[in-house]
Amino acid sequence: MKLPKNFIFAASTCAFQIEGGRNLGGRTSSIWDEFTERNYYIPPVGKPGREINSIKEAADFYTKYKTDARIMKRLGLQGFVYNMDWTRIFPKSSTEVNPEGLKFYDDVFKTLTENNVQPIPILYHWDTPLWAEIQGGFENRAVLEWFRKYVQTVFKYLGKYSNIWFVNDENSTFTLLGYLDDYLPPAKKNKTSFVKALHHLHLTGAIAKEEFELAKKAGYVSDDAMLGIDHDWSPPIPYQKDDDGAVKKYDKWFKNLFLDPNLKGTYPPEFLTWINENNIDYEILPADLEFLKKHPLDLIGWNYYRPCYITKGNYQEQPGEMQNESATFFVKDFKQVFPKKNVRYTKWNWIIDPSMLVSGAKVLAEEYRKPLMIIENGMGAFDDKTHELIIDEERIEYLALHINEVKKAVAQGINFIGYSLWTYCDIYSPSGGYRKDYGLVAVDFNSKIKTRKPKLSYVWYQRVIASGGENLVYDDLDNLKKLLTTELSTWDIWYQ
């Protein structure tokens, strides 16, 4: 099965995880700067624990973007999905634009374009400006107008660079872990905060779409440009034969709650009932639903890493039955389990299973009637960087199996416009700090200049792109090692 000629092979990344330059170019702090500074913790060597490290420099994309653009061109990358930093453009308030911040993104997008890499921007990814958070952040309805000023500015000055845009990335993870829990900033752990933030995030999607259409009329954005939402739904697998009911409830809360508002203009009734049952003092206004319905988004970005096993909330696991502790939620009708038997896991204990990608894509395509793009798909690992050749063969196998499922979905009529892996180079991970490697390109975080070096997966993906997705062979290690050796022989200072 050949993919369409206009199918995009890309890589994705996020400003606070790669960019660095956090106090440069007129930028001020965001909630992620504050969170990492306040909770800084490096586990002792050989001890488990979450690393919360500094993001002041990260992978230093802020000063190395021209080097990275050269590397992407050499890779053959056709698109670069970039979660932008609101704070860099509006560092002090919603009214004062930072010219240096705009110039930075203009330079980045221009450089990418000159290297035949299409920028695919995402406007917001968990990184609220601190000035906004001090005033209530996404709990304050005023955020809607703050965000409107931001997207107006971005579309006016940067809209010419791309015809594929996304508003938000993983609203589910952000709100569940940052507002219902304290794992991510702003660490509210409050049901009312969760409802307010989630609804306002959905409204920012409609506001962005409204401004996107105005930007088209003004000539800032091309007429055929699309604006989407990116969601990290994990397709559910019933753990037991009689778990279909639990699976349906899971989907209402983990698929429909985060997609319906921006694609249909509705909320699942279960969510509205939950608000009332918990005596949450916040009303979702009929006018808001009309506004959402009037401005639906055009495209679904899908972060597919793994499916999940769902069972009834009262299921009692047997000793030794599970790989990890079960995950329970604020809704008690179901829970997620991690069975040991016949299930593969990464070294970070994430399930490896591409089998639900096709069926999940069908669900999304049939339910929402929108084009799809894989925005994140990748494997966190402990890459061995002690040798000249970085042999990340497990990552190659993971990527090959998943891209093959995308091809199957396209063959069955699913309108996938592209595939973007996570991620281009090693970055800061919210769950693993700098110990969790995801990149095709290794970054030496102990180096003053954050030196770049290709891994085996780099030459493998280079070959995949050059073949138009035809060559997904991943077990010819000798050939791939020769390709990597050749690559390294010409990897001079302009790529480091």
Side-chain angles (χ1 to χ4, degrees):
M1 161 66 197
K2 285 193 173 183
L3 291 164
K5 286 186 177 180
N6 59 352
F7 186 90
I8 301 166
F9 283 103
S12 302
T13 196
C14 168
F16 79 82
Q17 295 177 259
I18 188 177
E19 199 168 281
R22 302 298 277 182
N23 59 355
L24 300 178
R27 189 190 178 280
T28 60
S29 290
S30 73
I31 59 174
W32 266 96
D33 296 286
E34 190 277 334
F35 182 82
T36 51
E37 289 164 8
R38 178 166 49 87
N39 297 289
Y40 184 88
Y41 176 71
I42 309 297
V45 174
K47 298 285 186 180
R50 180 188 181 193
E51 175 185 310
I52 303 178
N53 210 324
S54 170
I55 56 173
K56 186 176 179 180
E57 294 181 348
D60 198 20
F61 184 76
Y62 185 74
T63 61
K64 293 183 73 79
Y65 67 87
K66 290 185 178 179
T67 296
D68 286 320
R70 289 189 197 100
I71 294 171
M72 292 178 204
K73 181 179 181 180
R74 183 167 176 151
L75 174 60
L77 211 62
Q78 296 161 348
F80 184 50
V81 179
Y82 198 81
N83 291 274
M84 297 175 64
D85 179 10
W86 180 1
T87 313
R88 194 171 291 287
I89 297 176
F90 284 91
K92 295 180 179 178
S93 69
S94 65
T95 58
E96 188 175 342
V97 178
N98 175 24
E100 284 299 307
L102 265 180
K103 183 179 182 298
F104 169 71
Y105 284 121
D106 185 78
D107 288 346
V108 169
F109 291 172
K110 183 180 180 182
T111 301
L112 289 169
T113 303
E114 289 172 348
N115 284 276
N116 301 317
V117 181
Q118 179 181 356
I120 302 175
I122 300 181
L123 294 160
Y124 179 77
H125 183 129
W126 309 356
D127 206 0
T128 311
L130 197 56
W131 62 259
E133 188 60 40
I134 289 168
Q135 298 177 70
F138 275 93
E139 295 173 71
N140 184 349
R141 195 176 174 95
V143 75
L144 304 181
E145 291 310 309
W146 304 338
F147 197 79
R148 186 185 295 276
K149 296 282 181 61
Y150 167 55
V151 299
Q152 282 175 342
T153 303
V154 170
F155 293 150
K156 180 177 180 178
Y157 293 102
L158 304 173
K160 62 187 175 183
Y161 286 111
S162 185
N163 61 359
I164 303 173
W165 292 75
F166 291 90
V167 182
N168 299 316
D169 187 303
E170 296 189 352
N171 285 344
S172 53
T173 300
F174 176 51
T175 55
L176 292 170
L177 298 184
Y179 287 90
L180 264 188
D181 202 338
D182 58 3
Y183 186 80
L184 301 178
K188 295 291 180 154
K189 213 168 185 178
N190 181 278
K191 291 178 181 179
T192 302
S193 299
F194 167 69
V195 172
K196 288 180 178 180
L198 179 60
H199 184 53
H200 294 156
L201 277 163
H202 287 146
L203 288 173
T204 61
I207 283 170
K209 181 62 184 302
E210 184 178 44
E211 292 299 332
F212 198 62
E213 295 304 320
L214 292 172
K216 287 183 180 182
K217 290 178 182 177
Y220 301 138
V221 178
S222 65
D223 289 337
D224 63 346
M226 295 185 291
L227 179 67
I229 186 169
D230 187 29
H231 181 44
D232 57 343
W233 173 58
S234 295
I237 300 171
Y239 181 57
Q240 304 176 99
K241 290 181 180 179
D242 59 348
D243 280 336
D244 288 345
V247 162
K248 287 178 181 177
K249 291 173 183 176
Y250 161 87
D251 271 343
K252 287 291 182 184
W253 286 98
F254 282 83
K255 171 172 58 71
N256 298 96
L257 177 58
F258 298 100
L259 287 176
D260 286 9
N262 283 130
L263 299 174
K264 294 180 176 181
T266 61
Y267 277 100
E270 292 86 345
F271 178 60
L272 304 177
T273 300
W274 182 82
I275 291 174
N276 291 329
E277 289 176 348
N278 285 272
N279 299 313
I280 292 170
D281 186 19
Y282 186 77
E283 181 183 2
I284 293 177
L285 302 172
D288 287 350
L289 296 176
E290 286 300 314
F291 184 66
L292 288 166
K293 194 167 289 186
K294 185 179 178 181
H295 301 289
L297 296 174
D298 310 313
L299 172 67
I300 298 173
W302 187 20
N303 297 356
Y304 181 99
Y305 286 98
R306 63 223 186 275
C308 62
Y309 287 87
I310 297 297
T311 188
K312 291 178 285 297
N314 60 1
Y315 178 75
Q316 296 296 315
E317 310 91 90
Q318 298 301 310
E321 181 183 1
M322 300 298 170
Q323 176 85 2
N324 305 323
E325 185 179 344
S326 300
T328 55
F329 306 101
F330 61 105
V331 181
K332 303 303 180 186
D333 296 331
F334 56 86
K335 65 179 177 179
Q336 182 180 357
V337 293
F338 303 88
K340 278 186 179 180
K341 189 176 180 181
N342 300 323
V343 180
R344 291 180 65 193
Y345 289 85
T346 72
K347 289 183 175 64
W348 284 90
N349 270 333
W350 284 34
I351 290 172
I352 302 174
D353 183 357
S355 67
M356 295 296 288
L357 195 152
V358 175
S359 58
K362 284 182 178 179
V363 168
L364 294 174
E366 291 171 5
E367 189 163 351
Y368 297 107
R369 305 292 175 182
K370 304 286 184 181
L372 301 174
M373 182 172 180
I374 296 290
I375 293 297
E376 292 185 26
N377 172 245
M379 182 180 179
F382 296 100
D383 293 338
D384 183 355
K385 301 177 184 179
T386 61
H387 304 287
E388 179 65 12
L389 301 185
I390 302 173
I391 309 299
D392 55 339
E393 56 186 290
E394 290 182 344
R395 177 173 295 111
I396 293 170
E397 179 188 4
Y398 175 98
L399 295 172
L401 294 174
H402 286 81
I403 295 174
N404 192 54
E405 294 302 305
V406 174
K407 290 175 64 177
K408 288 180 185 178
V410 172
Q412 294 180 35
I414 302 298
N415 185 13
F416 267 117
I417 68 168
Y419 168 89
S420 190
L421 61 79
W422 187 269
T423 177
Y424 154 69
C425 72
D426 292 335
I427 54 172
Y428 172 81
S429 165
S431 61
Y434 295 110
R435 298 186 301 158
K436 192 175 189 179
D437 300 309
Y438 270 104
L440 304 175
V441 175
V443 176
D444 182 355
F445 291 108
N446 295 316
S447 163
K448 289 281 188 182
I449 61 168
K450 305 295 184 284
T451 307
R452 272 63 166 148
K453 184 179 180 181
K455 304 177 189 177
L456 200 69
S457 57
Y458 175 97
V459 293
W460 176 83
Y461 198 47
Q462 187 180 53
R463 190 171 69 179
V464 170
I465 298 171
S467 71
E470 286 290 290
N471 188 353
L472 296 179
V473 174
Y474 60 85
D475 55 1
D476 59 334
L477 289 181
D478 288 341
N479 287 333
L480 289 169
K481 287 177 183 178
K482 288 176 184 176
L483 289 173
L484 182 56
T485 300
T486 301
E487 194 76 17
L488 286 169
S489 70
T490 56
W491 195 266
D492 60 23
I493 59 170
W494 299 108
Y495 299 98
Q496 293 178 22

